[in-house]
Amino acid sequence: LELPRTDGAGAHAAPPQSVTVVVVDKAGQAFINDEPLAQPALAQRFIALAAAQPATEVQLRADAAVPYGRVVAIMGAAHQAGLTRIGFVAEPVAEPPP
């Protein structure tokens, strides 16, 4: 997975009580706990997560090559299920050698 890079990637806030990591590979396939999920199944999983733990944070790890529309569709499904804490995981920008 080739994550995008940003200077702010190293910043951390207080950890949430419950975290669900959604990985999206280059092909746009979403995974939760290494389980591939089509969009309807992903939406159902989000609904179940929101019912069990409404304060769950969704951490989205999308490959840099994933089209923006796919990322937005996943965010929309999470938000529609009631999961409003959505974070993006990125790699910090590599420091140039001295």
Coordinates of all heavy atoms in Angstrom, one line a residue:
L1 N 0.9 -1.2 0.0 CA 0.0 0.0 0.0 C 0.9 1.2 0.0 O 1.8 1.4 0.9 CB -0.9 0.0 1.3 CG -2.0 1.0 1.3 CD1 -3.0 0.7 0.2 CD2 -2.7 0.9 2.7
E2 N 0.7 2.1 -1.0 CA 1.5 3.3 -1.1 C 0.7 4.5 -0.6 O -0.2 5.0 -1.3 CB 1.9 3.5 -2.6 CG 2.7 4.8 -2.8 CD 4.1 4.7 -2.4 OE1 4.7 3.5 -2.3 OE2 4.7 5.7 -2.1
L3 N 0.9 4.8 0.7 CA 0.1 5.9 1.3 C 0.6 7.3 0.8 O 1.8 7.4 0.6 CB 0.2 5.9 2.8 CG -0.5 4.7 3.5 CD1 -0.3 4.7 5.0 CD2 -2.0 4.6 3.2
P4 N -0.3 8.3 0.7 CA 0.2 9.6 0.4 C 1.1 10.1 1.5 O 1.0 9.6 2.6 CB -1.1 10.4 0.2 CG -2.2 9.5 0.6 CD -1.7 8.2 0.8
R5 N 1.9 11.1 1.2 CA 2.7 11.7 2.2 C 2.3 13.1 2.5 O 1.9 13.9 1.7 CB 4.2 11.7 1.8 CG 4.7 10.3 1.6 CD 6.2 10.2 1.3 NE 6.6 8.9 1.1 CZ 6.9 8.0 2.1 NH1 6.9 8.4 3.3 NH2 7.3 6.8 1.8
T6 N 2.5 13.5 3.8 CA 2.1 14.9 4.2 C 3.0 15.2 5.4 O 3.3 14.4 6.2 CB 0.6 15.0 4.5 OG1 0.4 16.4 4.9 CG2 0.2 14.1 5.6
D7 N 3.2 16.5 5.6 CA 4.0 17.0 6.8 C 3.3 16.8 8.1 O 3.9 16.6 9.1 CB 4.3 18.5 6.6 CG 5.4 18.7 5.6 OD1 6.2 17.9 5.4 OD2 5.4 19.8 5.0
G8 N 1.9 16.8 8.0 CA 1.1 16.7 9.3 C 0.9 15.2 9.7 O 0.1 15.0 10.6
A9 N 1.4 14.3 9.0 CA 1.1 12.9 9.3 C 1.6 12.4 10.6 O 1.0 11.5 11.2 CB 1.7 12.0 8.2
G10 N 2.6 13.1 11.2 CA 3.1 12.6 12.5 C 2.3 13.2 13.7 O 2.5 12.7 14.8
A11 N 1.4 14.1 13.5 CA 0.6 14.7 14.6 C -0.4 13.7 15.1 O -1.0 13.0 14.3 CB -0.1 16.0 14.1
H12 N -0.5 13.7 16.4 CA -1.4 12.7 17.1 C -2.3 13.5 18.1 O -1.8 14.3 18.9 CB -0.7 11.6 17.7 CG 0.1 10.8 16.8 ND1 -0.4 9.9 15.9 CD2 1.5 10.7 16.6 CE1 0.5 9.4 15.2 NE2 1.7 9.8 15.6
A13 N -3.6 13.1 18.1 CA -4.4 13.7 19.2 C -4.7 12.5 20.2 O -4.1 11.5 20.1 CB -5.8 14.1 18.5
A14 N -5.6 12.8 21.1 CA -5.9 11.7 22.1 C -6.5 10.5 21.3 O -7.3 10.7 20.4 CB -6.9 12.3 23.1
P15 N -6.1 9.3 21.7 CA -6.6 8.2 20.9 C -8.1 7.9 21.2 O -8.6 8.2 22.3 CB -5.8 7.0 21.5 CG -5.3 7.5 22.8 CD -5.2 9.0 22.7
P16 N -8.9 7.5 20.2 CA -10.3 7.3 20.3 C -10.5 6.0 21.1 O -9.6 5.2 21.2 CB -10.8 7.1 18.9 CG -9.6 6.7 18.1 CD -8.4 7.4 18.8
Q17 N -11.7 5.8 21.6 CA -12.0 4.6 22.4 C -12.0 3.3 21.5 O -11.7 2.2 21.9 CB -13.3 4.7 23.2 CG -13.1 5.8 24.3 CD -14.4 5.9 25.0 OE1 -15.5 5.5 24.6 NE2 -14.3 6.5 26.2
S18 N -12.5 3.5 20.3 CA -12.6 2.4 19.4 C -12.2 2.8 18.0 O -12.6 3.9 17.5 CB -14.1 1.9 19.3 OG -14.2 0.8 18.5
V19 N -11.4 2.0 17.3 CA -10.9 2.4 16.0 C -11.2 1.2 15.0 O -11.0 0.0 15.4 CB -9.4 2.6 16.0 CG1 -8.8 2.8 14.6 CG2 -9.1 3.8 16.9
T20 N -11.6 1.5 13.9 CA -11.8 0.6 12.8 C -10.9 1.1 11.6 O -11.1 2.3 11.2 CB -13.2 0.5 12.3 OG1 -14.0 -0.1 13.4 CG2 -13.4 -0.4 11.1
V21 N -10.0 0.3 11.1 CA -9.2 0.7 10.0 C -9.7 0.1 8.8 O -10.0 -1.1 8.6 CB -7.7 0.2 10.3 CG1 -6.8 0.5 9.1 CG2 -7.1 0.7 11.6
V22 N -9.9 1.0 7.8 CA -10.4 0.6 6.5 C -9.2 0.8 5.5 O -8.7 1.9 5.4 CB -11.6 1.4 6.0 CG1 -12.0 1.0 4.6 CG2 -12.8 1.2 7.0
V23 N -8.8 -0.3 4.9 CA -7.7 -0.2 3.9 C -8.3 -0.3 2.5 O -9.2 -1.1 2.2 CB -6.7 -1.3 4.1 CG1 -5.6 -1.3 3.0 CG2 -6.1 -1.2 5.5
V24 N -7.9 0.6 1.6 CA -8.3 0.6 0.2 C -7.1 0.5 -0.6 O -6.2 1.3 -0.6 CB -9.1 1.9 -0.2 CG1 -9.7 1.8 -1.6 CG2 -10.2 2.2 0.9
D25 N -7.0 -0.7 -1.4 CA -5.8 -0.9 -2.2 C -5.9 -0.2 -3.5 O -6.9 0.5 -3.8 CB -5.6 -2.4 -2.4 CG -6.7 -3.1 -3.3 OD1 -7.6 -2.4 -3.9 OD2 -6.7 -4.3 -3.3
K26 N -4.9 -0.3 -4.4 CA -4.8 0.4 -5.6 C -6.0 0.2 -6.5 O -6.4 1.0 -7.3 CB -3.5 0.0 -6.4 CG -2.3 0.6 -5.8 CD -1.0 0.1 -6.6 CE 0.2 0.7 -5.9 NZ 1.4 0.3 -6.6
A27 N -6.6 -1.0 -6.4 CA -7.7 -1.4 -7.3 C -9.0 -0.8 -6.8 O -10.1 -0.9 -7.4 CB -7.8 -2.9 -7.4
G28 N -9.0 -0.2 -5.6 CA -10.2 0.4 -5.0 C -10.9 -0.6 -4.1 O -12.0 -0.3 -3.6
Q29 N -10.4 -1.8 -3.9 CA -11.0 -2.8 -3.0 C -10.8 -2.4 -1.5 O -9.7 -2.1 -1.1 CB -10.4 -4.1 -3.2 CG -10.9 -5.2 -2.3 CD -12.4 -5.5 -2.5 OE1 -12.8 -5.9 -3.5 NE2 -13.1 -5.3 -1.4
A30 N -11.9 -2.3 -0.8 CA -11.9 -2.0 0.6 C -11.8 -3.3 1.5 O -12.4 -4.3 1.1 CB -13.2 -1.2 1.0
F31 N -11.1 -3.1 2.6 CA -10.8 -4.2 3.5 C -11.0 -3.7 4.9 O -10.6 -2.6 5.3 CB -9.4 -4.8 3.4 CG -9.0 -5.3 2.1 CD1 -8.6 -4.5 1.0 CD2 -9.0 -6.7 1.9 CE1 -8.3 -5.0 -0.2 CE2 -8.7 -7.2 0.6 CZ -8.3 -6.4 -0.4
I32 N -11.7 -4.6 5.8 CA -11.7 -4.4 7.2 C -11.2 -5.7 7.8 O -11.7 -6.7 7.5 CB -13.1 -4.0 7.7 CG1 -13.6 -2.7 7.2 CG2 -13.1 -4.0 9.3 CD1 -14.9 -2.3 7.7
N33 N -10.1 -5.6 8.6 CA -9.5 -6.8 9.2 C -9.1 -7.8 8.1 O -9.4 -9.0 8.3 CB -10.4 -7.4 10.2 CG -10.7 -6.5 11.4 OD1 -9.8 -5.7 11.8 ND2 -11.8 -6.6 12.0
D34 N -8.5 -7.3 7.1 CA -8.1 -8.1 5.9 C -9.2 -8.8 5.2 O -9.0 -9.7 4.4 CB -7.0 -9.2 6.4 CG -5.7 -8.5 6.9 OD1 -5.4 -7.5 6.3 OD2 -5.1 -9.0 7.8
E35 N -10.5 -8.5 5.5 CA -11.6 -9.1 4.8 C -12.1 -8.1 3.7 O -12.4 -7.0 4.0 CB -12.8 -9.3 5.8 CG -14.0 -9.8 5.1 CD -15.2 -9.9 6.1 OE1 -15.0 -9.6 7.3 OE2 -16.3 -10.2 5.7
P36 N -12.0 -8.6 2.4 CA -12.5 -7.7 1.4 C -14.0 -7.5 1.4 O -14.7 -8.5 1.7 CB -12.1 -8.4 0.1 CG -11.9 -9.9 0.5 CD -11.6 -9.9 1.9
L37 N -14.5 -6.3 1.3 CA -15.9 -6.0 1.4 C -16.3 -5.2 0.2 O -15.7 -4.1 -0.1 CB -16.2 -5.2 2.6 CG -15.9 -6.0 4.0 CD1 -16.0 -5.0 5.1 CD2 -16.9 -7.1 4.1
A38 N -17.4 -5.6 -0.5 CA -18.0 -4.8 -1.6 C -18.7 -3.7 -0.9 O -19.0 -3.7 0.3 CB -19.0 -5.7 -2.4
Q39 N -19.1 -2.6 -1.6 CA -19.7 -1.4 -1.1 C -20.9 -1.7 -0.2 O -21.0 -1.2 0.9 CB -20.0 -0.4 -2.2 CG -20.4 1.0 -1.6 CD -19.3 1.7 -0.9 OE1 -18.1 1.5 -1.1 NE2 -19.6 2.6 0.0
P40 N -21.9 -2.6 -0.6 CA -23.0 -2.8 0.2 C -22.7 -3.5 1.5 O -23.2 -3.2 2.6 CB -23.9 -3.8 -0.6 CG -23.5 -3.5 -2.0 CD -22.0 -3.2 -2.0
A41 N -21.7 -4.4 1.5 CA -21.3 -5.1 2.7 C -20.5 -4.2 3.6 O -20.6 -4.2 4.9 CB -20.4 -6.3 2.4
L42 N -19.7 -3.3 3.0 CA -19.0 -2.3 3.8 C -20.0 -1.4 4.5 O -19.8 -1.1 5.7 CB -18.1 -1.5 2.9 CG -17.2 -0.4 3.5 CD1 -16.2 -1.1 4.5 CD2 -16.5 0.4 2.5
A43 N -21.0 -0.9 3.8 CA -22.0 -0.1 4.4 C -22.7 -0.8 5.6 O -23.0 -0.2 6.7 CB -23.1 0.4 3.4
Q44 N -23.0 -2.1 5.4 CA -23.7 -2.8 6.5 C -22.7 -3.0 7.7 O -23.2 -2.9 8.9 CB -24.1 -4.2 6.0 CG -25.3 -4.2 5.1 CD -26.5 -3.5 5.7 OE1 -26.9 -3.8 6.9 NE2 -27.1 -2.6 5.0
R45 N -21.5 -3.2 7.5 CA -20.5 -3.3 8.5 C -20.4 -1.9 9.3 O -20.3 -1.9 10.5 CB -19.1 -3.6 8.0 CG -18.0 -3.8 9.0 CD -18.1 -5.0 9.9 NE -18.1 -6.2 9.1 CZ -16.9 -6.9 8.8 NH1 -15.8 -6.5 9.3 NH2 -17.0 -8.0 8.1
F46 N -20.4 -0.8 8.6 CA -20.4 0.5 9.2 C -21.7 0.7 10.1 O -21.6 1.2 11.2 CB -20.4 1.6 8.2 CG -19.0 1.8 7.6 CD1 -18.9 2.3 6.3 CD2 -17.8 1.5 8.2 CE1 -17.7 2.5 5.7 CE2 -16.6 1.7 7.7 CZ -16.5 2.2 6.4
I47 N -22.8 0.2 9.6 CA -24.1 0.3 10.4 C -23.9 -0.5 11.7 O -24.3 0.0 12.8 CB -25.3 -0.1 9.6 CG1 -25.6 0.9 8.5 CG2 -26.5 -0.3 10.5 CD1 -26.5 0.4 7.4
A48 N -23.4 -1.7 11.6 CA -23.2 -2.5 12.8 C -22.2 -1.9 13.8 O -22.4 -1.9 15.0 CB -22.8 -3.9 12.4
L49 N -21.1 -1.3 13.2 CA -20.2 -0.7 14.1 C -20.8 0.5 14.8 O -20.5 0.7 16.0 CB -19.0 -0.2 13.3 CG -18.0 -1.3 12.8 CD1 -17.0 -0.7 11.8 CD2 -17.2 -1.8 14.0
A50 N -21.6 1.3 14.1 CA -22.2 2.5 14.7 C -23.2 2.1 15.8 O -23.3 2.8 16.8 CB -22.9 3.3 13.6
A51 N -23.9 1.0 15.6 CA -24.8 0.5 16.6 C -24.1 0.0 17.8 O -24.6 0.3 19.0 CB -25.7 -0.6 16.0
A52 N -23.0 -0.6 17.7 CA -22.3 -1.2 18.8 C -21.4 -0.1 19.5 O -21.4 -0.1 20.7 CB -21.4 -2.3 18.4
Q53 N -20.8 0.7 18.8 CA -19.9 1.8 19.3 C -20.0 3.1 18.5 O -19.3 3.3 17.6 CB -18.4 1.3 19.2 CG -18.0 0.2 20.1 CD -17.8 0.7 21.5 OE1 -17.6 1.9 21.8 NE2 -17.8 -0.2 22.5
P54 N -21.0 3.9 18.8 CA -21.2 5.1 18.0 C -20.0 6.1 17.9 O -19.9 6.8 17.0 CB -22.4 5.8 18.8 CG -23.0 4.8 19.7 CD -21.9 3.8 19.9
A55 N -19.1 6.0 18.9 CA -17.9 6.9 18.9 C -16.7 6.3 18.2 O -15.6 6.8 18.2 CB -17.5 7.3 20.3
T56 N -17.0 5.2 17.4 CA -15.9 4.6 16.7 C -15.3 5.5 15.7 O -16.0 6.2 15.0 CB -16.4 3.3 15.9 OG1 -16.8 2.4 16.9 CG2 -15.3 2.7 15.0
E57 N -13.9 5.6 15.7 CA -13.2 6.3 14.7 C -12.9 5.4 13.5 O -12.3 4.3 13.7 CB -12.0 7.0 15.2 CG -11.2 7.7 14.2 CD -9.9 8.4 14.7 OE1 -10.1 9.2 15.7 OE2 -8.9 8.2 14.2
V58 N -13.2 5.8 12.3 CA -12.8 5.1 11.1 C -11.5 5.7 10.6 O -11.4 6.9 10.3 CB -13.9 5.2 10.0 CG1 -13.4 4.5 8.7 CG2 -15.2 4.6 10.5
Q59 N -10.4 4.9 10.5 CA -9.2 5.4 10.0 C -9.0 4.8 8.6 O -9.0 3.6 8.4 CB -8.0 5.0 10.9 CG -8.0 5.7 12.2 CD -6.8 5.3 13.1 OE1 -6.0 4.5 12.7 NE2 -6.7 6.1 14.2
L60 N -9.0 5.7 7.6 CA -9.0 5.3 6.2 C -7.6 5.4 5.7 O -6.9 6.4 5.7 CB -9.9 6.3 5.4 CG -10.2 6.0 4.0 CD1 -10.7 4.6 3.8 CD2 -11.2 7.0 3.5
R61 N -7.1 4.2 5.3 CA -5.8 4.0 4.7 C -6.0 3.7 3.2 O -6.1 2.6 2.9 CB -5.0 2.9 5.4 CG -4.8 3.1 6.8 CD -4.1 1.9 7.5 NE -2.8 1.6 6.9 CZ -1.6 2.1 7.3 NH1 -1.6 2.8 8.4 NH2 -0.5 1.8 6.7
A62 N -6.0 4.7 2.4 CA -6.2 4.5 1.0 C -4.9 4.7 0.2 O -4.2 5.7 0.5 CB -7.3 5.5 0.4
D63 N -4.6 3.8 -0.7 CA -3.5 3.9 -1.6 C -3.5 5.3 -2.3 O -4.6 5.7 -2.7 CB -3.4 2.8 -2.6 CG -2.1 2.7 -3.3 OD1 -2.0 3.4 -4.3 OD2 -1.2 1.9 -2.9
A64 N -2.4 5.9 -2.6 CA -2.3 7.2 -3.2 C -2.9 7.1 -4.6 O -3.4 8.1 -5.2 CB -0.9 7.6 -3.3
A65 N -3.0 5.9 -5.3 CA -3.5 5.8 -6.6 C -5.1 5.6 -6.6 O -5.7 5.6 -7.7 CB -2.9 4.6 -7.3
V66 N -5.7 5.5 -5.5 CA -7.2 5.3 -5.4 C -7.8 6.6 -5.9 O -7.5 7.7 -5.4 CB -7.6 4.9 -4.0 CG1 -9.1 4.9 -3.9 CG2 -7.0 3.6 -3.6
P67 N -8.8 6.5 -6.8 CA -9.5 7.7 -7.2 C -10.3 8.4 -6.1 O -10.8 7.7 -5.2 CB -10.5 7.2 -8.3 CG -9.9 5.9 -8.7 CD -9.2 5.3 -7.5
Y68 N -10.3 9.7 -6.0 CA -10.9 10.4 -5.0 C -12.4 10.0 -4.8 O -12.9 9.9 -3.7 CB -10.8 11.9 -5.3 CG -11.4 12.8 -4.3 CD1 -10.9 12.9 -3.0 CD2 -12.6 13.6 -4.5 CE1 -11.4 13.8 -2.0 CE2 -13.1 14.5 -3.6 CZ -12.5 14.5 -2.3 OH -13.0 15.3 -1.4
G69 N -13.1 9.7 -5.9 CA -14.5 9.3 -5.8 C -14.7 8.1 -5.0 O -15.7 8.0 -4.3
R70 N -13.8 7.2 -5.0 CA -13.9 5.9 -4.2 C -13.7 6.2 -2.8 O -14.5 5.7 -1.9 CB -12.8 4.9 -4.7 CG -12.8 3.6 -3.9 CD -14.1 2.8 -4.2 NE -14.0 1.6 -3.5 CZ -15.0 1.1 -2.7 NH1 -16.1 1.8 -2.5 NH2 -14.9 0.0 -2.0
V71 N -12.8 7.1 -2.4 CA -12.6 7.5 -1.0 C -13.8 8.2 -0.5 O -14.3 8.0 0.6 CB -11.3 8.4 -0.9 CG1 -11.2 9.0 0.5 CG2 -10.1 7.6 -1.3
V72 N -14.4 9.1 -1.3 CA -15.6 9.8 -0.9 C -16.8 8.9 -0.7 O -17.6 9.0 0.2 CB -16.0 10.9 -1.9 CG1 -17.4 11.5 -1.7 CG2 -14.9 12.0 -1.9
A73 N -16.9 7.8 -1.6 CA -18.0 6.8 -1.4 C -17.9 6.1 -0.1 O -18.9 5.9 0.6 CB -18.0 5.8 -2.6
I74 N -16.7 5.8 0.3 CA -16.4 5.1 1.6 C -16.7 6.0 2.8 O -17.4 5.6 3.7 CB -15.0 4.5 1.7 CG1 -14.8 3.4 0.6 CG2 -14.7 4.0 3.1 CD1 -13.4 2.9 0.4
M75 N -16.3 7.2 2.7 CA -16.5 8.2 3.7 C -18.1 8.4 3.8 O -18.6 8.5 5.0 CB -15.9 9.6 3.4 CG -14.4 9.6 3.5 SD -13.6 11.1 3.0 CE -14.8 12.4 3.6
G76 N -18.7 8.5 2.7 CA -20.2 8.7 2.7 C -20.9 7.6 3.4 O -21.9 7.8 4.2
A77 N -20.5 6.4 3.1 CA -21.1 5.2 3.8 C -20.9 5.2 5.3 O -21.8 4.9 6.0 CB -20.6 3.9 3.2
A78 N -19.7 5.6 5.7 CA -19.4 5.6 7.1 C -20.3 6.7 7.8 O -20.9 6.5 8.8 CB -18.0 5.9 7.4
H79 N -20.3 7.9 7.2 CA -21.1 9.0 7.7 C -22.6 8.7 7.8 O -23.3 9.0 8.7 CB -20.8 10.3 6.9 CG -21.2 11.5 7.6 ND1 -22.4 12.1 7.4 CD2 -20.6 12.3 8.5 CE1 -22.6 13.2 8.1 NE2 -21.4 13.3 8.8
Q80 N -23.1 8.1 6.7 CA -24.5 7.7 6.6 C -24.9 6.7 7.7 O -26.0 6.8 8.3 CB -24.9 7.2 5.3 CG -26.3 7.0 5.1 CD -26.7 6.7 3.6 OE1 -25.8 6.1 2.9 NE2 -27.9 6.9 3.2
A81 N -23.9 5.9 8.1 CA -24.2 4.9 9.2 C -24.1 5.6 10.6 O -24.5 4.9 11.6 CB -23.1 3.8 9.1
G82 N -23.6 6.8 10.6 CA -23.6 7.5 11.9 C -22.1 7.6 12.5 O -21.9 8.0 13.6
L83 N -21.2 7.2 11.7 CA -19.8 7.2 12.1 C -19.2 8.6 11.6 O -18.9 8.7 10.4 CB -19.0 6.0 11.6 CG -19.5 4.7 12.1 CD1 -18.8 3.6 11.3 CD2 -19.3 4.5 13.6
T84 N -19.1 9.5 12.4 CA -18.7 10.9 12.0 C -17.2 11.2 12.3 O -16.7 12.2 11.8 CB -19.5 11.9 12.6 OG1 -19.4 11.8 14.1 CG2 -21.0 11.8 12.2
R85 N -16.5 10.3 13.0 CA -15.1 10.5 13.3 C -14.3 9.7 12.2 O -14.1 8.5 12.3 CB -14.7 10.0 14.7 CG -15.4 10.8 15.8 CD -15.0 10.3 17.1 NE -13.6 10.3 17.2 CZ -12.9 10.4 18.3 NH1 -13.6 10.5 19.5 NH2 -11.6 10.5 18.3
I86 N -13.9 10.4 11.2 CA -13.2 9.7 10.1 C -11.8 10.4 9.9 O -11.7 11.6 9.8 CB -14.0 9.8 8.8 CG1 -15.4 9.2 8.9 CG2 -13.2 9.2 7.6 CD1 -16.3 9.5 7.8
G87 N -10.8 9.6 10.0 CA -9.4 10.1 9.9 C -8.7 9.5 8.7 O -9.1 8.4 8.3
F88 N -7.8 10.2 8.2 CA -7.0 9.7 7.0 C -5.6 9.4 7.5 O -5.0 10.2 8.2 CB -6.9 10.7 5.9 CG -8.3 11.1 5.3 CD1 -9.0 12.1 5.8 CD2 -8.8 10.3 4.3 CE1 -10.3 12.4 5.3 CE2 -10.1 10.5 3.8 CZ -10.8 11.6 4.3
V89 N -5.1 8.2 7.1 CA -3.8 7.8 7.5 C -2.8 8.1 6.3 O -3.1 7.7 5.2 CB -3.7 6.3 7.9 CG1 -2.3 5.9 8.3 CG2 -4.7 6.0 9.0
A90 N -1.7 8.8 6.6 CA -0.7 9.1 5.6 C 0.6 8.9 6.2 O 0.8 8.8 7.4 CB -0.9 10.6 5.1
E91 N 1.6 8.8 5.3 CA 3.0 8.6 5.8 C 3.6 10.0 5.9 O 3.3 10.9 5.1 CB 3.8 7.8 4.7 CG 3.3 6.4 4.5 CD 3.7 5.5 5.7 OE1 4.6 5.8 6.5 OE2 3.0 4.5 5.9
P92 N 4.5 10.2 6.9 CA 5.1 11.5 7.0 C 6.1 11.7 5.8 O 6.6 10.7 5.2 CB 5.9 11.4 8.3 CG 5.9 10.0 8.7 CD 4.8 9.3 7.9
V93 N 6.3 12.9 5.4 CA 7.2 13.3 4.3 C 8.6 12.9 4.8 O 9.0 13.2 5.9 CB 7.1 14.8 3.9 CG1 8.2 15.1 2.9 CG2 5.8 15.1 3.4
A94 N 9.4 12.2 4.0 CA 10.7 11.8 4.4 C 11.6 13.1 4.4 O 11.6 13.9 3.6 CB 11.3 10.8 3.3
E95 N 12.4 13.1 5.5 CA 13.4 14.2 5.6 C 14.5 14.0 4.6 O 15.0 12.9 4.5 CB 13.9 14.2 7.1 CG 12.9 14.3 8.1 CD 12.7 15.8 8.6 OE1 13.7 16.6 8.4 OE2 11.6 16.1 9.1
P96 N 14.9 15.1 4.0 CA 16.1 14.9 3.1 C 17.4 14.6 3.9 O 17.5 15.1 5.0 CB 16.2 16.3 2.4 CG 15.4 17.2 3.2 CD 14.4 16.4 4.0
P97 N 18.2 13.8 3.4 CA 19.5 13.5 4.1 C 20.3 14.8 4.3 O 20.3 15.7 3.4 CB 20.2 12.5 3.3 CG 19.5 12.5 1.9 CD 18.2 13.2 2.1
P98 N 21.0 14.9 5.4 CA 21.8 16.1 5.7 C 23.0 16.2 4.7 O 23.5 15.5 4.1 CB 22.3 16.0 7.1 CG 22.0 14.6 7.5 CD 21.1 14.0 6.5

